[in-house]
Amino acid sequence: GYHQLVEDRSSLTFVVPPELVQKFMDPGGLILDVAGGSGINAKILGLDASKYVCADIAFEGLRIATEQRRGMCVQAEVGRLPIRNDVANSVLCSWSLEHLMNPETVLDEMIRIVKPGGRIIIWGPNWDNVFRKDFPQFVHRSNAYIWRVRFHIFFKMIRNGIPPFRYNP
């Protein structure tokens, strides 16, 4: 249900203005969306489906991307993408990097895939969503665990000067 939730609330959850992201992209070249889920970035950014590739491990998100004809989909672990070196003009990664076990490996993959002179555009983190009731990482966890994580993140945000209640509905 997570990917459908993102689809239903896509206009509300895109905190970074689309025109800012578009400013740094090469719309004429291949765009690879790492951990792209349902290809929601293609919808929000108005990307040409013939030049958009969504890579994600979750079949459900890729199913939505395929049904919506948002571009080519690749089901793969984003730390080991089955994509040649130096092929993408732009690489996107939105609200995902902070959830991955080995973000350094994923960054290495993005660097490997982007063409020389291309752009890697990353936005996030999605820490404020841990205060939502439907945060997907909490589905199979106890309430005690959930609140321990929430308090830990809350106080870490305060210490780092990040406003903890810039709520993203």
Side-chain angles (χ1 to χ4, degrees):
Y2 171 75
H3 293 289
Q4 192 58 52
L5 177 73
V6 171
E7 287 293 316
D8 295 343
R9 297 183 179 179
S10 64
S11 62
L12 300 173
T13 58
F14 199 85
V15 176
V16 177
E19 55 275 2
L20 179 63
V21 176
Q22 291 165 338
K23 178 181 172 181
F24 294 101
M25 288 177 23
D26 177 358
L30 181 70
I31 298 166
L32 174 68
D33 197 350
V34 174
S38 63
I40 195 71
N41 287 330
K43 174 184 174 183
I44 293 170
L45 296 169
L47 301 177
D48 180 351
S50 68
K51 297 176 183 175
Y52 176 79
V53 178
C54 180
D56 202 293
I57 198 164
F59 176 77
E60 179 61 22
L62 297 174
R63 182 189 60 75
I64 293 169
T66 301
E67 286 175 0
Q68 298 295 319
R69 295 187 175 99
R70 292 190 176 143
M72 190 171 104
C73 295
V74 176
Q75 185 177 21
E77 166 63 44
V78 293
R80 294 184 324 209
L81 292 167
I83 297 172
R84 292 186 328 227
N85 297 351
D86 306 328
V87 295
N89 296 67
S90 302
V91 176
L92 309 177
C93 186
S94 61
W95 310 112
S96 304
L97 205 54
E98 65 274 12
H99 300 293
L100 303 173
M101 296 296 286
N102 297 307
E104 303 86 9
T105 304
V106 178
L107 288 167
D108 288 341
E109 279 294 276
M110 289 189 241
I111 292 166
R112 179 183 69 77
I113 289 166
V114 73
K115 287 182 178 180
R119 298 276 176 101
I120 297 173
I121 305 159
I122 301 169
W123 62 98
N126 204 7
W127 295 120
D128 53 345
N129 277 347
V130 300
F131 299 103
R132 289 175 37 181
K133 292 178 184 173
D134 56 355
F135 188 66
Q137 280 76 357
F138 291 158
V139 172
H140 303 290
R141 301 294 186 145
S142 70
N143 280 338
Y145 172 84
I146 293 168
W147 283 104
R148 190 169 46 252
V149 170
R150 285 178 173 163
F151 279 113
H152 175 77
I153 291 171
F154 176 81
F155 288 113
K156 188 172 189 174
M157 291 169 81
I158 298 264
R159 276 193 306 274
N160 291 319
I162 300 169
F165 293 110
R166 188 187 73 240
Y167 184 66
N168 183 3

